[in-house]
Amino acid sequence: MSSIPPEYDLSNPIPASSTGLYSSLTNYGDAHFALFLRKVFIKSLGYTDSSLSKPIIGIVNTYSSFNPCHSNIPSLIESCKRGILSAGGLPMEFPTISIHESFASPTSMLLRNLMSMDTEEMVRAQPVDGVVMIGGCDKTVPAQLMGGISANKPFLPLITGPMMPGNVKGVRVGACTDCRNNWAKYRAGEIDMEDIMSINEELAPTGGTCGVMGTASTMACIVAALGLTDLRAGATSAAVSSARLRVAENTGTAIVEALTHRKDSGTINPQDLLTRESFLNAIIVLQAIGGSTNAIVHLMAIINRHPRVAGTITLETINQIGEKIPLLVDLKPSGENYMTDFHNAGGMLMLLHRLRPLLHLEARTYTGQTLGELLDSSTPPSVLKSFDFDLNSPTGVIRTLDNPLHPNSSLVVLHGNLCPDGAVIKASASKDKRLLKHRGLACVFKDTRDMAERLDSPSLDVTKDSILVLKSIGPVGNPGMPEAGLLPIPRKLAKEEGVEDILRISDGRMSGTAGGTVVLHISPESADPESVFGIVEDGDVIEIDVQERRLNLDVEDEVIKERIKKRKEELAWIEKARLRGYRGLYERNVNQAHLGCDFDFLTAAGPGEP
Ligand code: FES
């Protein structure tokens, strides 16, 4: 009898292909009982059988009192639920961990992979047909994309959105480029404590993610480039705006409609929807927005989760694309403006229109249309052309291809004996362009403690032409690869000579909101016994040529080999195996920056399902 609910129909097994509440059953050795029991508990919340028969859409709630970048999540959930319900789905919210940059010790990056595992496993374990993942702060969106691709259930990201800029004495300020700029001025004695305290009050005047083109904004734009959110407002509308709430409602509606109308199209699971071309578009956008260097690590981790794309895109792809893609978006730290300006100038929709000749228009989007079809059907509204929305306008926040802010390659991957597996520099954010082709003497700090102790010493042997080298901040050397790569300018150079930029090299990361001539992500990191970067000494000559994509240590090969041999006897790399808990898991399994700092066992090339 077809009217018998499946849990009571003991003569027929619960189909393995079941959806909604009937999927992902708990294993008691009796599937009918598992479903019976599940209904016992869900009915305690007052749900009817009618509600429970609808497509179930999970909403990943990453609200946390320790995450101000996610402060608007309660209202986003309310709006998203409205969209899900109106389209005929049943919303079910559930938590995963939430990570904020300033409230995670030692670093948020240490926890990114944990969040990706949390996301993947909860999406896989629970009876959801599709998921809306709410994230925003730097590591959260990458973690959700990684976990979502691995779980391979239909999902859409819902970005919390950028904060508004603040205002200090008539000057606009915003986290976090202006946090760093003003802190540097305070260190150099250019502003006093009263000034820095009043600036502190205004740098983050509303909830939301950092309001410049930092990692959070970059990842939001990448989500749009991947075709996973609304092009007009999904990446750029302010966290505190009504537009952001409409994005939330539309995201809820869109995922139900995809499940209802396109379930059999073979394009709604992320591993089908996202193709190599989708990720190439993401890299094109990354270059065009002058995005965060961190996004390169995250993109590599995300790509290497995808069974059919992993290995087809490498760091070299970043350079190949960069050579053809100009920097078009005038936002801090490469430019002058804030995310709200980008949004008001047309946001990702305008940028993608301008990049159109360079994009892979055949890539599919969450709407069911290709990117080309979506752009065809979403020309910027004519009312908006009255100010900075004219597609032919050559200036403004979003430049045209023939009038870029930087001609090409805002992000560059370097190779050489110092970084055989690669290193990254954001050339467009260099404040002193002569440093992009430079030879200088290394001033070496063996770790962050050494740097803190000696950097401001009057006796430090350093000039404006020195190259500051900071070791032991790589993925394993200082777990989580801290954002310490933007070494402060030594006080005697900043204060006495007014030096504002100096070449800095490390195996760590820097905030996407930061600027300067800074080489990051040296791979392999210094903690690796074979690392050439690990044996750099004070006074060694280092040569960089960004145009030639080169970074070399000008020391005889024989000397390098001898130093590596000697150093191997001192390193305690193997000791990591004895660490307990998540930190032990991390240090034993994290791969290097050029691969994304993911756990080897989570990548598409890692072990398969049992
Ligand atoms: Fe959350 Fe910058 S601290 S986005």
Side-chain angles (χ1 to χ4, degrees), residues 67-70 99-103 136-140 160-163 175-176 180 208-212 214-217 511 513:
N67 195 342
C69 302
H70 291 195
I99 313 169
H100 183 275
E101 287 306 292
S102 298
F103 292 93
C137 195
D138 290 13
K139 307 304 178 291
T140 59
T160 57
M163 63 179 67
C176 225
R180 295 171 199 284
T209 55
C210 288
V212 296
T215 306
S217 301
S511 165
T513 62

Side-chain angles (χ1 to χ4, degrees), residues 52-65:
L52 294 172
S53 65
K54 293 180 175 173
I56 296 182
I57 308 300
I59 303 175
V60 177
N61 181 353
T62 53
Y63 179 83
S64 160
S65 297

Side-chain angles (χ1 to χ4, degrees), residues 351-498:
L351 178 65
L352 293 176
H353 271 290
R354 291 206 164 144
L355 287 170
R356 188 183 173 116
L358 303 164
L359 291 167
H360 297 269
L361 297 172
E362 71 278 27
R364 300 210 78 82
T365 71
Y366 76 102
T367 62
Q369 296 172 292
T370 64
L371 181 60
E373 290 166 345
L374 193 54
L375 288 176
D376 284 343
S377 63
S378 53
T379 304
S382 56
V383 62
L384 301 177
K385 288 184 180 172
S386 57
F387 41 110
D388 193 28
F389 288 81
D390 186 343
L391 275 169
N392 299 316
S393 166
T395 58
V397 178
I398 308 173
R399 302 289 188 91
T400 52
L401 287 174
D402 55 7
N403 183 34
L405 201 65
H406 189 79
N408 54 31
S409 300
S410 61
L411 290 159
V412 175
V413 174
L414 304 170
H415 282 95
N417 68 348
L418 205 52
C419 51
D421 290 330
V424 170
I425 182 169
K426 189 176 196 172
S428 60
S430 167
K431 293 179 185 164
D432 183 350
K433 303 291 186 207
R434 81 186 166 87
L435 296 174
L436 297 175
K437 182 174 166 63
H438 183 61
R439 257 173 89 84
L441 301 181
C443 172
V444 180
F445 301 98
K446 67 180 183 189
D447 53 31
T448 48
R449 179 183 292 190
D450 182 34
M451 180 190 74
E453 285 172 2
R454 295 194 297 119
L455 186 76
D456 288 334
S457 164
S459 63
L460 186 72
D461 187 10
V462 67
T463 72
K464 66 180 174 41
D465 294 320
S466 297
I467 297 175
L468 301 184
V469 171
L470 177 57
K471 299 181 189 175
S472 294
I473 57 168
V476 173
N478 195 325
M481 209 183 167
E483 291 184 341
L486 183 77
L487 287 79
I489 310 285
R491 191 173 288 154
K492 73 177 187 184
L493 295 181
K495 207 166 179 180
E496 292 162 24
E497 298 181 36

Side-chain angles (χ1 to χ4, degrees), residues 35-238:
L35 185 52
F36 171 78
L37 199 62
R38 177 172 285 174
K39 281 201 169 176
V40 168
F41 286 108
I42 199 73
K43 285 189 172 176
S44 74
L45 299 176
Y47 286 93
T48 61
D49 281 316
S50 167
S51 285
L52 294 172
S53 65
K54 293 180 175 173
I56 296 182
I57 308 300
I59 303 175
V60 177
N61 181 353
T62 53
Y63 179 83
S64 160
S65 297
F66 285 116
N67 195 342
C69 302
H70 291 195
S71 60
N72 60 341
I73 282 184
S75 52
L76 291 181
I77 288 177
E78 195 183 320
S79 299
C80 184
K81 281 182 173 175
R82 194 163 61 236
I84 292 169
L85 288 167
S86 66
L90 178 65
M92 302 283 270
E93 70 180 85
F94 62 92
T96 68
I97 62 168
S98 184
I99 313 169
H100 183 275
E101 287 306 292
S102 298
F103 292 93
S105 176
T107 69
S108 61
M109 185 65 172
L110 178 71
L111 300 171
R112 184 202 65 181
N113 294 352
L114 181 64
M115 185 172 177
S116 87
M117 292 170 77
D118 185 1
T119 305
E120 174 183 346
E121 296 305 329
M122 295 316 288
V123 168
R124 203 194 295 282
Q126 298 177 131
V128 290
D129 296 308
V131 188
V132 173
M133 298 184 181
I134 310 182
C137 195
D138 290 13
K139 307 304 178 291
T140 59
V141 173
Q144 291 177 333
L145 290 172
M146 291 160 72
I149 288 172
S150 293
N152 202 28
K153 283 188 184 177
F155 79 92
L156 288 180
L158 173 52
I159 306 295
T160 57
M163 63 179 67
M164 303 295 289
N167 191 303
V168 177
K169 297 179 182 168
V171 177
R172 289 200 305 168
V173 292
C176 225
T177 303
D178 299 319
C179 309
R180 295 171 199 284
N181 294 346
N182 285 292
W183 187 249
K185 285 181 189 166
Y186 180 60
R187 271 179 55 84
E190 290 173 30
I191 56 177
D192 62 20
M193 194 167 74
E194 197 178 323
D195 285 336
I196 194 75
M197 285 173 75
S198 64
I199 290 169
N200 183 273
E201 301 275 333
E202 272 296 307
L203 283 165
T206 71
T209 55
C210 288
V212 296
M213 193 49 80
T215 306
S217 301
T218 303
M219 291 309 305
C221 294
I222 282 176
V223 163
L226 288 171
L228 295 177
T229 191
D230 173 67
L231 299 184
R232 178 64 189 90
T236 54
S237 58

